[in-house]
Amino acid sequence: MEFRQRHLLGIEPLAPREITAVLDRAQDYAEAARRGQKHGDALEGLTQVNMFFEASTRTQASFEIAGKRLGADVMSMAMQTSSLSKGETLIDTATTINAMRPDLLVVRHPHSGAVNLLAEKVECAVLNAGDGRHEHPTQALLDALTIRRAKGRLHRLTVAICGDIAHSRVARSNLILLGKMENRVRLVGPPTLMPPGVAELGVEVTDDMEAGLQGADVVMMLRLQRERMDGAFIPSEREYYHRFGLDAEKLAHAAPDAIVMHPGPMNRGVEIDGTIADDLTRSVIREQVEMGVAVRMAAMDLLVAARREP
Ligand code: NCD
């Protein structure tokens, strides 16, 4: 068994061979789905509960579809209307859910560390679907699979991650993963949107798009995470677009065959020009969504299998 985790809480605890194991399994699921074979039985008879304490469209749908394709009974709880709003603590909610004996728990939460805490209180496998600005491991894995498919490898690539780095769990999980697989990561954005001490993580940091994109194989754009900002981090959206929005002129500094990525949701005309987002010769944004289902199938399959090992 290459994959030995009990939970998927972040990229941080994963060994490179475990990352590769998830991507290889996901690649098989993605190819099978393209051949019209969408269903498997890896989660047959198991119960998957999705608890999203924060809004989500693609991640929640993707986990739901992934579980159903592998035969699980999938239940998505509407956490905004749950007993949490009646004052129940996260731990009480976890204990309640645990008593229903789920096999997989998929959790998104606005607070960094909340999913790790929850994982300590339940017996089943927990998958982090994004916690605050901490980690979003399945997003980084689906990004990695998309890159590997487009570039034929997942090492010695130059990847520019651009925009609101400070508030982004997507950026954090991605830079950890890309670093583990020996790629060169550049973070590009205004100093107000860079987390403090980020240069110590072995990445290059710049507030100049032209320099940051120079020769990049992959250009990953991020949304301004306004819900996590307290105060003004940028002068105006117009000025932000002018300096940091991805348009044809800025993209021309990247490698001629550079791919453009975005985890979604996208704000056209703020961090990315709509024409580039829709240009299928450069943009792999739709493929990212497709790989999302395959990666979540693989992650749940491998977690369940690892727990069955003696
Ligand atoms: C991201 C998230 O929720 O962290 N979206 C996603 O999962 N596809 C990024 C974002 O919200 O901007």
Side-chain angles (χ1 to χ4, degrees):
M1 254 320 261
E2 294 291 340
F3 187 88
R4 295 177 177 278
Q5 302 289 321
R6 292 186 64 76
H7 303 289
L8 182 62
L9 301 175
I11 298 298
E12 192 86 71
L14 300 185
R17 62 172 163 76
E18 291 178 306
I19 293 170
T20 304
V22 178
L23 302 187
D24 289 348
R25 182 65 56 94
Q27 170 71 18
D28 292 344
Y29 280 131
E31 287 307 319
R34 285 198 174 183
R35 290 193 304 268
Q37 292 162 3
K38 293 190 199 152
H39 293 273
D41 58 4
L43 305 181
E44 199 73 68
L46 302 184
T47 304
Q48 172 192 338
V49 176
N50 299 333
M51 295 167 78
F52 280 66
F53 296 92
E54 214 184 58
S56 170
T57 313
R58 72 206 75 218
T59 306
Q60 185 168 346
S62 181
F63 266 112
E64 243 182 83
I65 292 172
K68 286 182 176 161
R69 286 195 180 165
L70 290 181
D73 293 320
V74 184
M75 189 191 63
S76 290
M77 294 179 64
M79 298 315 294
Q80 283 88 349
T81 55
S82 76
S83 18
L84 268 201
S85 51
K86 298 180 188 165
E88 189 178 71
T89 66
L90 181 63
I91 301 306
D92 286 337
T93 306
T95 323
T96 306
I97 296 296
N98 192 48
M100 298 176 194
R101 299 198 160 275
D103 302 284
L104 293 148
L105 199 53
V106 180
V107 188
R108 169 170 286 194
H109 200 281
H111 296 148
S112 307
V115 184
N116 291 52
L117 183 71
L118 209 140
E120 286 169 20
K121 308 290 174 191
V122 298
E123 281 140 78
C124 66
V126 176
L127 293 100
N128 182 0
D131 63 324
R133 52 180 88 173
H134 178 227
E135 281 235 39
H136 191 351
T138 55
Q139 180 69 46
L141 288 162
L142 76 88
D143 290 339
L145 181 58
T146 308
I147 295 171
R148 197 175 80 169
R149 287 167 61 96
K151 296 279 140 206
R153 66 179 200 274
L154 188 60
H155 57 274
R156 281 187 285 106
L157 293 166
T158 300
V159 182
I161 307 180
C162 314
D164 182 359
I165 313 289
H167 300 101
S168 176
R169 52 198 177 208
V170 175
R172 202 165 172 282
S173 290
N174 261 299
L175 73 88
I176 298 170
L177 188 152
L178 292 166
K180 279 182 196 270
M181 305 312 272
E182 294 177 16
N183 297 280
R184 187 167 165 190
V185 178
R186 284 194 205 134
L187 303 179
V188 193
T192 47
L193 294 177
M194 280 297 159
V198 75
E200 290 152 35
L201 296 171
V203 294
E204 301 161 44
V205 180
T206 175
D207 64 354
D208 177 352
M209 278 290 271
E210 197 173 306
L213 262 52
Q214 200 60 51
D217 301 297
V218 177
V219 180
M220 191 181 289
M221 301 309 299
L222 299 171
R223 180 177 67 90
L224 292 170
Q225 314 249 309
R226 295 199 178 277
E227 70 277 24
R228 278 185 256 288
M229 296 182 191
D230 39 3
F233 282 76
I234 55 159
S236 73
E237 282 190 356
R238 246 182 91 128
E239 183 166 341
Y240 183 83
Y241 181 69
H242 178 67
R243 284 199 59 196
F244 298 102
L246 187 67
D247 57 15
E249 202 182 310
K250 295 193 190 84
L251 184 58
H253 295 281
D257 61 348
I259 54 167
V260 174
M261 308 180 76
H262 195 306
M266 232 177 341
N267 290 309
R268 292 166 186 261
V270 181
E271 72 270 4
I272 190 165
D273 172 19
T275 329
I276 289 187
D278 297 333
D279 177 358
L280 294 180
T281 65
R282 307 309 294 272
S283 165
V284 293
I285 297 171
R286 265 197 251 164
E287 175 135 338
Q288 284 174 273
V289 178
E290 181 185 351
M291 292 310 126
V293 175
V295 154
R296 287 164 182 130
M297 289 168 79
M300 291 194 287
D301 171 354
L302 291 176
L303 274 173
V304 164
R307 280 177 170 253
R308 283 181 181 145
E309 293 275 299

